[in-house]
Amino acid sequence: MTAIAFVGLGHMGGPMAANLVKAGHEVRGFDLVPELRDAARTAGIEIAESGLDAVASADVVITMLPAGRHVLAVYGTDDAPGLLQAARPGTLFIDSSTIAVDESRLAAASAVAAGHRALDAPVSGGVVGAENATLAFMVGGADDDFEEARPLLEAMGRRVVHCGGSGLGQAAKICNNMILGISQIAVAEAFVLGERLGLSHQALFDVASNASGQCWALTTNCPVPGPVPTSPANRDYQPGFAGALMSKDLGLAEQAIELTGIDAKLGRLARAIYGEFADGPGAGEDFSGIINTIRAQSVDANR
Ligand code: NAD
């Protein structure tokens, strides 16, 4: 049994912390939102007075927060003490939020400077994965810290991959989601083009899913209703993975593209396309709903 502090008990953090309790760990948690604290208490999490109170007696601290600025703020500095200053020396800090690679490295370096150890361990698999303990973890940090964290991550997920040193879990996450964002747009454009050419959705699916166009965006997240009955297109594009989250992750990818100077034209374009999508009704829709924008913005060939 490990004494774990869990800070951020939202859509993802709440069920993740509950799975740690189910696995027999002692979890003290905190969230700013009173209703989330009540829900977590019902799931067996001991609720602390504050984040600082939660970490004071912990061996491991897990954060699941909206963005990098929240992680850096709660970690704290010598001038504005936070979790790093409140924890016992040598505590293992695991940040599972999705944040920029450079912010992640900064957070880890601050943890080490304060006498602790740190891993970045972002996830994929969404709220369903968090609830069912089927998340995929992408982990950056030292080998021995990874081995110590592994059983805890396995209590919350199905796949745990050590991607390398500090920040490389976040790097894997944004690279994967850049592939995903670009390929979902490509699949959606192909279906709209097929429609215009008189090709049925099922015929295109039957060909592409068995040919070189095969990809997750087609065979699992098919953007039209019918060929894959479980895809969000069959339930009016309820997420799934919301457009707002895809836009956020592509923003982080773009930040990394800027920093590294690579020639990622499609990554930048996907960021712009999903940015616009998420500024409209797409924020709360599954990101495969981008097909409706493509259809709506296509020129009427018969005009
Ligand atoms: P969320 O907004 O539901 O949860 C974040 C929680 O952090 C909120 O409840 C908020 O009150 C809390 N919080 C913020 N500042 C705090 C502080 N100082 N102290 C304590 N609590 C604080 O977000 P989420 O959907 O759970 O996502 C969390 C992270 O996981 C994000 O970085 C997101 O990008 C990533 N992620 C989300 C999904 C998803 O499907 N929701 C999938 C993969 C990754």
Side-chain angles (χ1 to χ4, degrees):
M1 187 198 69
T2 305
I4 301 166
F6 208 114
V7 179
L9 301 167
H11 290 97
M12 298 293 288
M16 289 166 70
N19 283 328
L20 288 169
V21 172
K22 280 186 206 150
H25 299 292
E26 184 188 297
V27 184
R28 267 168 77 72
F30 183 71
D31 194 287
L32 296 176
V33 178
E35 291 75 20
L36 294 174
R37 296 201 293 268
D38 292 343
R41 194 180 281 116
T42 308
I45 294 147
E46 191 189 334
I47 295 299
E49 294 289 310
S50 64
L52 302 196
D53 176 34
V55 305
S57 54
D59 301 318
V60 173
V61 175
I62 303 178
T63 41
M64 194 54 168
L65 298 167
R69 65 180 185 282
H70 302 95
V71 176
L72 291 170
V74 298
Y75 271 25
T77 61
D78 288 341
D79 295 336
L83 305 185
L84 298 181
Q85 289 71 32
R88 297 183 298 201
T91 298
L92 178 58
F93 277 76
I94 304 175
D95 180 38
S96 281
S97 328
T98 303
I99 71 175
V101 175
D102 52 340
E103 287 174 320
S104 177
R105 288 181 172 149
L106 179 58
S110 311
V112 169
H116 304 300
R117 298 166 297 136
L119 295 171
D120 50 296
V123 301
S124 70
V127 176
V128 173
E131 288 169 349
N132 297 338
T134 55
L135 292 170
F137 283 88
M138 295 143 267
V139 188
D143 292 350
D144 46 352
D145 295 336
F146 171 75
E147 288 308 330
E148 188 177 325
R150 189 202 286 270
L152 304 182
L153 304 182
E154 285 175 347
M156 299 182 281
R158 198 157 48 189
R159 228 162 10 103
V160 179
V161 180
H162 189 197
C163 301
S166 180
L168 293 179
Q170 298 289 353
K173 163 98 186 169
I174 58 167
C175 288
N176 177 71
N177 281 12
M178 191 169 87
I179 298 172
L180 179 60
I182 292 169
S183 59
Q184 192 70 66
I185 295 167
V187 170
E189 287 185 354
F191 271 96
V192 176
L193 179 60
E195 287 167 6
R196 280 291 171 91
L197 297 173
L199 186 59
S200 76
H201 291 159
Q202 192 63 49
L204 176 54
F205 180 83
D206 289 346
V207 171
S209 63
N210 289 295
S212 43
Q214 190 272 335
C215 59
W216 188 92
L218 174 71
T219 57
T220 300
N221 218 42
C222 189
V224 294
V228 180
T230 50
S231 78
N234 297 279
R235 43 172 208 269
D236 213 13
Y237 299 95
Q238 281 170 36
F241 188 55
L245 287 170
M246 177 50 86
S247 174
K248 173 194 166 180
D249 290 0
L250 288 172
L252 298 176
E254 189 178 49
Q255 231 171 295
I257 290 167
E258 300 285 343
L259 272 177
T260 54
I262 71 148
D263 183 26
K265 294 188 182 68
L266 291 183
R268 287 180 199 275
L269 194 53
R271 156 66 174 156
I273 290 171
Y274 274 114
E276 202 179 308
F277 182 68
D279 283 344
E285 264 180 25
D286 187 77
F287 74 115
S288 60
I290 195 68
I291 192 167
N292 294 319
T293 307
I294 295 166
R295 217 182 262 121
Q297 291 181 352
S298 295
V299 176
D300 182 355
N302 297 320
R303 86 201 144 127

